Amino acid sequence: MIPNSAGGKVGAPAGLADLNGLQQGAGALMIDGGNIFNAEKAYKDSKLCNLLMAQYIAHNHSTNSTPITVIAWSPGLVIPRSNEGFFRYSRKQNPIGQTIFAFIARDLLRICETTEGAGKLLANLATEKQLETTKFQYWCNRVIGLGKLEFKQTDPSPEASCLKLAEKLWQLSAKQINASIA
């Protein structure tokens, strides 16, 4: 998630601080060490972690003899008409609010991608040959106007581009995995 994208500007911003929650280990409420759970921030933080992990893999597991292209992508806001998808649990907790939100975002403002459209974006990324030219790419489907989305390669936020933070996330995640296996 790009914290300065449209979705990143609404509500609590993404931010991992020094990964204090991950350093605490199992039971931490937030990855940044916060002691109040915020579902929206946790979601944004998870997207930030995805970008950091993708960049870490691209920079540290690619060699001249075996180049690896790592592609991260965001299809944008996807609100299906069915009761499935990302908002399926929110609909159970707040059916009226989610119905109103979906109607405004999807039907009135038309700032959402369809489920089928999101799938096509991913399929195209997986099959395009020009994507093999760099180690890391981030593609984002941005709202550029009512009913208009633009899918293009984008630079992640400064925090999502911090290789030092990416390395620390990698190491702490490996430590958590090893601890759970032992």
Side-chain angles (χ1 to χ4, degrees):
M1 161 127 336
I2 298 177
N4 49 353
S5 69
K9 292 179 182 175
V10 177
L16 304 179
D18 200 24
L19 299 168
N20 292 328
L22 193 55
Q23 290 180 64
Q24 291 171 20
L29 293 177
M30 299 295 291
I31 198 164
D32 65 359
N35 55 9
I36 298 174
F37 181 74
N38 179 318
E40 179 185 15
K41 181 177 179 345
Y43 172 77
K44 291 176 183 180
D45 288 351
S46 75
K47 300 299 119 193
L48 181 53
C49 287
N50 288 343
L51 284 173
L52 287 166
M53 290 296 224
Q55 292 204 66
Y56 181 86
I57 292 167
H59 290 316
N60 294 292
H61 294 283
S62 187
T63 64
N64 290 335
S65 61
T66 311
I68 297 173
T69 300
V70 179
I71 301 168
W73 75 295
S74 172
L77 182 60
V78 178
I79 305 175
R81 294 193 181 282
S82 70
N83 288 331
E84 299 301 316
F86 180 73
F87 292 101
R88 66 187 170 275
Y89 299 112
S90 300
R91 284 188 186 111
K92 292 177 185 175
Q93 299 297 318
N94 185 3
I96 294 171
Q98 286 301 313
T99 300
I100 292 169
F101 174 73
F103 172 74
I104 291 170
R106 184 188 56 223
D107 303 318
L108 190 61
L109 299 176
R110 300 179 328 274
I111 57 172
C112 297
E113 181 59 75
T114 65
T115 304
E116 295 79 12
K120 286 179 185 177
L121 293 172
L122 180 57
N124 288 339
L125 279 178
T127 59
E128 291 293 324
K129 294 294 182 196
Q130 79 267 11
L131 297 177
E132 299 172 7
T133 58
T134 62
K135 288 183 180 182
F136 173 79
Q137 294 182 22
Y138 175 55
W139 289 76
C140 186
N141 202 13
R142 292 181 177 245
V143 175
I144 57 172
L146 297 181
K148 296 179 184 175
L149 300 172
E150 179 182 45
F151 190 62
K152 68 177 191 172
Q153 191 172 350
T154 307
D155 290 329
S157 69
E159 187 174 15
S161 301
C162 179
L163 292 178
K164 182 178 176 184
L165 186 61
E167 182 173 1
K168 186 171 186 177
L169 176 63
W170 182 273
Q171 291 170 349
L172 288 169
S173 297
K175 182 178 176 184
Q176 289 294 319
I177 291 168
N178 290 333
S180 69
I181 293 172

